[in-house]
Amino acid sequence: MTYRVVQWTTGNVGKKSVHAIAENSQLELVGCYAWSPDKVGHDVGELCGINPMGVHATDNVDALLGIKPDCVVYNPMFASVDEVTRILEAGINVVTTSEFITGHQLGSDRERIVQACARGGSTIFGSGINPGFIQLFAIVTAGISDRVDRISIVESFDTTIYNSPATEIPMGFGYPIDQPDLRAITEKGSGIFREAVLLVADALGVELDEVRCEAEYAHTTEDLVLPGDWTIKKGCVAGIDVRWKGFVGARGVVEVRGVWTKGQSLEPAWSTDFGYTVTVQGRPTIKSTLSFEPPTDFRAETIEDYIMLGLTITAMPAITAIPAVVAAPPGIATYNDLPLLLPRGVLARD
């Protein structure tokens, strides 16, 4: 079966989604939404740095919905509830890498999404943007211990070369280290981690009594010039260690942690690993470390090429979920609701 998809935006993650769609034998790109006026009318392949695909970007939402695709791949960093409900009400499924897993952080807007799914007979799946596959990995790993005491997920990266101040400033980067509301800024910006905690707890069949956010910071001891004409001034935040913890009573049972640093001039100096570590404390305790590296035929011409390679692991969980989401009953679907997501259509072609 071939699934007809519309790509929603061609930013950093959106580009990798388009690359994946172009390479997948089960997917057909039939439309693309352009948020930027200067992208309207351009071939999607050319916008994403690959061969022309014969599909041109548009900002005409009615026209895209009129195509009646099986699914929209929705890649904005911050989801617009108005946009998402409009798509779902039109009877079109959505897979997204935005800050959406369970939708609980949306408050009353979550019910709007639930109702839109009911009216349209459609389904939405959010992998989360941190990236979402690691929650699934933790859930699967926990299944090989006969007793689980605690699950910890750690994402750790030096993001110096990542050109995305629009997504990192909301986390707390660039603020004065003594900013009074810094913790609140980070808590809001990393709120998707709370949904990740809830997802893992739900997989364990546990109802949490409390989820709370803790954060520590490091500042740069010199002006730090970053890609995108962005400078973090001396004395401002260039390292964030944020931990979202879920508790049953007084016992922490799930933790999702992000450790992100920029540059070599941090105070205090942090040692940053590169990749993901999942620890299932139990019987037995299982510790798994994931990292990624370029394929043997990879040829990079710019730093951006390396960054885009890394963004593949953010884009792919949503792409891989498309067949399962199309087949799912209406509503909000998570990893706990869907069958095992199979990597169909991705085997390299001769």
Side-chain angles (χ1 to χ4, degrees), residues 205-248:
V206 172
E207 184 173 344
L208 299 174
D209 296 311
E210 180 185 9
V211 180
R212 64 174 180 249
C213 177
E214 301 173 358
E216 297 179 5
Y217 304 92
H219 66 274
T220 179
T221 58
E222 58 187 42
D223 287 357
L224 186 60
V225 180
L226 299 168
D229 296 323
W230 180 30
T231 298
I232 296 180
K233 295 293 186 179
K234 177 181 177 180
C236 293
V237 174
I240 298 175
D241 182 346
V242 59
R243 306 181 186 203
W244 282 86
K245 299 180 178 181
F247 292 84
V248 174

Side-chain angles (χ1 to χ4, degrees), residues 10-262:
T10 56
N12 287 339
V13 177
K15 288 178 181 177
K16 294 311 300 181
S17 293
V18 170
H19 294 179
I21 293 166
E23 291 292 329
N24 194 306
S25 60
Q26 290 195 339
L27 303 179
E28 177 189 1
L29 184 70
V30 295
C32 177
Y33 175 74
W35 179 80
S36 301
D38 60 343
K39 294 183 178 181
V40 172
H42 291 273
D43 187 280
V44 180
E46 294 173 348
L47 287 175
C48 297
I50 58 177
N51 292 331
M53 300 180 68
V55 176
H56 294 84
T58 179
D59 58 1
N60 188 332
V61 175
D62 288 333
L64 289 172
L65 299 183
I67 296 172
K68 294 293 181 182
D70 297 300
C71 192
V72 163
V73 179
Y74 189 87
N75 289 140
M77 169 67 174
F78 302 106
S80 163
V81 175
D82 289 340
E83 281 184 345
V84 170
T85 54
R86 186 175 177 185
I87 296 166
L88 293 168
E89 286 175 343
I92 301 166
N93 303 292
V94 173
V95 296
T96 178
T97 60
S98 70
E99 80 300 9
F100 183 95
I101 298 176
T102 65
H104 284 94
Q105 68 168 329
L106 296 175
S108 60
D109 279 341
R110 183 180 190 274
E111 184 59 25
R112 289 179 58 197
I113 291 176
V114 171
Q115 292 300 320
C117 290
R119 286 191 291 270
S122 51
T123 306
I124 180 171
F125 166 80
S127 61
I129 198 162
N130 59 306
F133 79 90
I134 200 66
Q135 285 84 252
L136 176 61
F137 189 87
I139 292 167
V140 172
T141 303
I144 56 177
S145 294
D146 68 1
R147 188 195 75 224
V148 173
D149 302 320
R150 180 177 180 271
I151 296 178
S152 169
I153 301 170
V154 181
E155 173 186 327
S156 181
F157 286 100
D158 183 322
T159 66
T160 304
I161 64 173
Y162 185 48
N163 179 11
S164 187
T167 62
E168 293 191 305
I169 291 174
M171 296 290 182
F173 279 104
Y175 285 88
I177 194 68
D178 57 356
Q179 176 95 7
D181 61 344
L182 184 57
R183 161 74 179 281
I185 292 169
T186 300
E187 183 170 342
K188 181 179 180 181
S190 64
I192 189 62
F193 279 29
R194 182 179 188 276
E195 294 196 7
V197 168
L198 294 172
L199 175 73
V200 176
D202 179 60
L204 291 171
V206 172
E207 184 173 344
L208 299 174
D209 296 311
E210 180 185 9
V211 180
R212 64 174 180 249
C213 177
E214 301 173 358
E216 297 179 5
Y217 304 92
H219 66 274
T220 179
T221 58
E222 58 187 42
D223 287 357
L224 186 60
V225 180
L226 299 168
D229 296 323
W230 180 30
T231 298
I232 296 180
K233 295 293 186 179
K234 177 181 177 180
C236 293
V237 174
I240 298 175
D241 182 346
V242 59
R243 306 181 186 203
W244 282 86
K245 299 180 178 181
F247 292 84
V248 174
R251 181 164 68 100
V253 295
V254 179
E255 177 178 289
V256 179
R257 177 184 179 192
V259 183
W260 308 300
T261 61
K262 289 188 179 294

Side-chain angles (χ1 to χ4, degrees), residues 291-315:
S291 59
F292 62 91
E293 57 188 42
T296 55
D297 60 350
F298 183 71
R299 297 292 182 270
E301 297 181 359
T302 67
I303 292 294
E304 291 294 325
D305 292 334
Y306 282 102
I307 295 171
M308 293 302 293
L309 182 68
L311 290 173
T312 299
I313 63 174
T314 300

